[in-house]
Amino acid sequence: MKIALDVMGGDHAPQNPMGGVKLALETLPQIEKIFLVGVPELIEQEMHKQGIPASPKLEIVPASQVVDMSDSGLDAVRKKKDSSIARAVDLVKEKTADAVVSAGHTGAAVTASLIKLRTLPHIERPAIASVMPSQTTTWLLIDAGANPDSLPEHLVQNALMGSAYAKHVMGRPNPRVGLMSNGTEEEKGNALCKETAKLLRTTPGINFIGNVEGHDLWETPPDVVVCDGFTGNIILKTSEALAHALFGMIKTEIISSTRTKIGGLLAKPAFKRIHKKTSADEAGGMPLLGLNGITIIAHGGANAYAMKNAIRMACDTISHQVNPHIEAAISQHLLIHAHA
Amino acid sequence: MKIALDVMGGDHAPQNPMGGVKLALETLPQIEKIFLVGVPELIEQEMHKQGIPASPKLEIVPASQVVDMSDSGLDAVRKKKDSSIARAVDLVKEKTADAVVSAGHTGAAVTASLIKLRTLPHIERPAIASVMPSQTTTWLLIDAGANPDSLPEHLVQNALMGSAYAKHVMGRPNPRVGLMSNGTEEEKGNALCKETAKLLRTTPGINFIGNVEGHDLWETPPDVVVCDGFTGNIILKTSEALAHALFGMIKTEIISSTRTKIGGLLAKPAFKRIHKKTSADEAGGMPLLGLNGITIIAHGGANAYAMKNAIRMACDTISHQVNPHIEAAISQHLLIHAHA
């Protein structure tokens, strides 16, 4: 498998993306090639610093520009034609690489992917799928932020795409799909939600279990939770930040007395296990589904381990043929609708 | 102050509402009267069980029906005319009581309040305001669930009402108002959010600081976070459930070995402090703002301590004259608009 990596993207670039490359070469034998897209001198410096030897599996692809977080997504793509994310997506477009991985500006990665790769046939909008933790199992949140103003049919497409990913990558034979709402009862929801529920109830090929609410997400979540990108992004960021704040509060309170400090030291292994279970580093990235190509969006603050996992997610998305499965699901959906 | 309490409302009614009454009589001297609305025999039984003596401050008001969680909000109000929540709201409507407190069906409490009390002049929709915790301070989430399909002008009214509450009850001299979005940048947001931001930027009397995202809520939140009731309810429930799940995971992991178990016992005071800081029991309830009267919605699972705090919140909302302040803010807003 051949991965195009946006080496300049992320809060700690090029350090962490290159740290991810080092770990990926050591642990992911399925990798044939990683294209290191960015400013060659900076990449070479970083390789030297981290002791990453030249390898036939690594190839530097020059890109002179870097997208700043202050650029708008569209401006970044329009005005910085030679940015690392644009060049990385080009490699996928021309089939030199199978997937692109970026921890840079999400809007720029989405826009560049949408403009250059286009969507799969009959998919109107791509959606960000985020593998989320819970007490019992993982679940897929879709859309976690690509499309803030979604229509009911976009949400049905999210359900089809999310089901394909859950089935073929996450190994759920008949993925249960819940619709994010402000209550589980059928009459709950905003207008978008109610209209979408009607469609999901009558769409064959989707194992729709009805509305889900916040309380369902962390204990016994369905396999796929469908929502618009505005709601999904708020769930993603709010939850991530709350977990971070709670662990911060625990730390502050624990170091406030000798007794609790000793307690905290003894309990440390328990906290480490929870951190591993809940950390976004384990998934590493979020696939942008619905594209004629594969784009994996890593967290801006991703460390080397998370970047390695984002590269692994790219490999999994390729090897499990997520896109052909999405195309099949959409075709079947359209076929049934045409006959209905 | 005179409070109408829906004694039959809540997962543990009449036990916990009556437990709240007991604590309120002991700790809230400002209370002149609590009207105990519900089935008289059950209320008397519960008073006997909990050793609550008859008092001139307590008066039982009979209501023969109880709203079930399976009723829809509107059906509950239409079909159960003699329900405890309907009768409790009636007491406020006829000015016998100053405020109603209910831990029952939220939809029924909102609908009964809206139909019987009506909104304040020029307020189109009431909004649920929820006092939320963070690492540093509390903040107000408005709307936490009353109005799932909001228009930009409703969100501006939420900002005005939330500011009045934050200023006069929470003691924030010039409340900073943030608009909940999927990113802090001005171009982020769904259509509702962008349209609302435009209005908020030009509305005098609102100290608008721009968009806020999930990451802002738990560390350095603004005083007021404005959103539609669909988004707000999802934030409320998702956060509440995530905190619950994380503490559950901590418990499970800590009891999994002797070492961590001892650590957990020693660290217990730290966890107790965090629980107190983050628990919804401290606020006790959520005011439904914008009504020509005062309704406090307590959590369905509220314990006696939370019910007491919900009663205290009702007293605070009365004594700080939240409704006259909201009316003044709205009048000033309309006056400026008329002259603009």
Side-chain angles (χ1 to χ4, degrees), chain A residues 182 237 253 259 265 273, chain B residues 182 237 253 259 273:
Chain A
N182 57 331
K237 287 183 182 159
E253 289 296 343
R259 173 191 159 158
L265 278 173
R273 286 193 295 270
Chain B
N182 57 330
K237 287 184 182 158
E253 289 296 344
R259 173 190 157 156
R273 286 193 295 271

Side-chain angles (χ1 to χ4, degrees), chain A residues 20-29 31 34 52-53 55 57-58:
Chain A
V21 168
K22 192 177 179 187
L23 291 173
L25 290 178
E26 287 164 13
T27 57
L28 303 173
I31 287 181
I34 302 179
I52 305 171
S55 149
K57 289 192 175 181
L58 297 181

Side-chain angles (χ1 to χ4, degrees), chain B residues 231-282:
Chain B
T231 304
N233 193 261
I234 287 176
I235 292 173
L236 182 76
K237 287 184 182 158
T238 300
S239 308
E240 205 174 73
L242 177 58
H244 184 81
L246 278 176
F247 284 118
M249 283 170 91
I250 290 171
K251 208 170 173 178
T252 307
E253 289 296 344
I254 274 179
I255 60 170
S256 72
S257 86
T258 308
R259 173 190 157 156
T260 53
K261 217 184 279 179
I262 295 168
L265 278 174
L266 289 169
K268 208 168 185 179
F271 288 111
K272 277 202 168 166
R273 286 193 295 271
I274 295 165
H275 186 263
K276 194 173 160 64
K277 220 168 165 179
T278 58
S279 168
D281 296 349
E282 294 306 313

